[in-house]
Amino acid sequence: MRPLNSLVLDGASEPLFFSDVHLGEECPSLTEPFLAWLDKALASSKTVFILGDLFNAWIGDDLLEQDRLFPETVLAARAVCQKLKAFTEAEGAAYFMAGNRDFLIGPNFFNRSGLRPIAQECLLQFAGRRWLLCHGDHLCIDDRPHQDLRSRLLSPEWQAEFLATSLVSRAAFATTLREKSQAAKAMKAEEIMDVNRDECLRRVRHHECIGLIHGHTHRPGSYPMAEGLMRWVIPDWHTRPNKETQADPGAADCTGGFLRLTDAGPEIIRVS
C-alpha cells in the first residue's frame, strides 16, 4: 500500500493525533491503560493519526504470528489491530506514519488493523489550513549518529536483507540496538536530541504550511517559530512509579496524551 503524501479533511472531523506510546517489553504496565484510552478515543472521533513509535520495537509483521518472542508487544499489537479494524470498518479513518522504532510495520499489519500508511512528511488540509505532519526524528539533524543510522535502517536493501533473517536473529539485533541507543543517549547533550528549529522552519516554509505537528522528542507543547508559524509536539506515553504502591515493584501510574485539531487550532490533552 503506497503511503499517502497529502490528505484533506473537513472541519467536522477534529482528528486526534498520538505518538510515542512505545508499547512492548520495556513497559508492560502501559498496555492496559493505553488500550482503555484508545477505546475512548475511537468512540469520540472519526479520524485518528498515529505519528510513529506506537511500539518500542517492531521487527516484522510475522511477529504477529507467534507468541514466544516479544510477547508483550505481540499482545498489544493484536489488541490494537482488533480495535482499529472495528473502527475503520465502522467508517472511521485511521492513519499511520512510521517512527524510528516501528518503521518495519508493513502490509500484514495494515490489513489486520485497517490503518492506511502516510508518508514521512504528510500534508494535511484541515478547515482551510495546511499542516505539515511528521514523526520528527528526521528534523534532529544535529544528531549525526542518529541520522546516519536512520539512513541505513530505512534503506530498502537493508530492510529486505534484515527481514530475510530469522525472527530470533531480528529480535537479538533489536535488543542489542536498543541497548546501544540507550548508552549513546546518556552521552549526548539534550539539545542535540531535539529538532533543529531552523530545519523545522525550512520544511514548513517549503510546504507552505501554517504549522508543524510531530512527536519523537518527548517534549510536548507548542513552540512559536518565525512569521507567526507554530510547532506542536504530541505528548509521549510512559509510566512512573506509584509511591503509594511501592510494595508492588510492577505498580506504576500511566501518563500520556494526544493532540486534537479543531477549527481554532491544535489542543494538547493530557491523560493520566
Side-chain angles (χ1 to χ4, degrees):
M1 190 180 297
R2 189 181 182 87
L4 300 171
N5 293 305
S6 62
L7 289 162
V8 178
L9 297 179
D10 63 72
S13 298
E14 292 200 349
L16 297 180
F17 299 81
F18 60 96
S19 68
D20 300 279
V21 187
H22 299 291
L23 297 170
E25 271 47 45
E26 287 193 10
C27 200
S29 58
L30 185 60
T31 300
E32 186 175 345
F34 172 75
L35 292 174
W37 170 82
L38 183 61
D39 282 334
K40 295 177 182 178
L42 297 179
S44 65
S45 180
K46 296 179 181 178
T47 309
V48 296
F49 288 84
I50 305 170
L51 296 191
D53 288 359
L54 176 61
F55 302 105
N56 206 45
W58 192 259
I59 57 175
D61 288 354
D62 48 347
L63 196 62
L64 287 165
E65 312 306 328
Q66 55 82 57
D67 301 286
R68 186 169 60 88
L69 298 170
F70 293 175
E72 187 64 34
T73 301
V74 173
L75 176 69
R78 289 173 178 166
V80 167
C81 284
Q82 182 180 32
K83 293 176 186 299
L84 289 173
K85 189 67 170 179
F87 174 71
T88 55
E89 288 182 344
E91 301 186 354
Y95 301 95
F96 175 81
M97 178 185 292
N100 56 296
R101 304 285 187 87
D102 50 14
F103 54 87
L104 287 175
I105 283 179
N108 185 24
F109 192 95
F110 292 131
N111 289 335
R112 290 179 66 147
S113 64
L115 282 166
R116 296 192 65 182
I118 58 177
Q120 286 291 295
E121 287 192 348
C122 183
L123 303 180
L124 173 63
Q125 188 81 18
F126 175 77
R129 302 183 181 119
R130 184 152 67 171
W131 296 87
L132 175 60
L133 311 179
C134 62
H135 174 62
D137 66 319
H138 77 300
L139 300 171
C140 301
I141 61 173
D142 298 316
D143 188 348
R144 288 312 316 167
H146 176 80
Q147 295 303 321
D148 292 343
L149 178 63
R150 183 177 187 274
S151 295
R152 176 192 170 204
L153 298 184
L154 293 184
S155 160
E157 294 78 15
W158 183 90
Q159 292 186 7
E161 183 177 340
F162 181 71
L163 291 173
T165 64
S166 69
L167 265 174
V168 172
S169 296
R170 281 179 264 156
F173 175 88
T175 300
T176 300
L177 185 64
R178 180 64 182 146
E179 291 171 352
K180 290 181 178 178
S181 174
Q182 290 287 69
K185 186 183 294 185
M187 303 297 291
K188 293 178 182 178
E190 283 292 320
E191 60 269 18
I192 289 178
M193 295 184 286
D194 199 359
V195 296
N196 180 287
R197 289 167 186 158
D198 291 338
E199 180 67 5
C200 292
L201 181 60
R202 187 181 75 83
R203 300 309 300 161
V204 170
R205 282 173 172 166
H206 172 77
H207 291 293
E208 299 180 340
C209 297
I210 69 160
L212 168 66
I213 297 173
H214 70 87
H216 180 67
T217 63
H218 297 202
R219 294 171 168 89
S222 59
Y223 300 85
M225 298 189 290
E227 303 166 10
L229 304 173
M230 292 292 293
R231 177 171 65 90
W232 293 80
V233 183
I234 305 167
D236 57 296
W237 291 71
H238 55 275
T239 58
R240 58 192 176 197
N242 187 331
K243 295 179 181 179
E244 296 179 359
T245 54
Q246 285 182 341
D248 178 3
D253 290 328
C254 170
T255 182
F258 58 95
L259 182 146
R260 185 192 304 275
L261 189 55
T262 72
D263 286 346
E267 174 188 10
I268 289 179
I269 302 174
R270 308 281 182 162
V271 175
S272 60

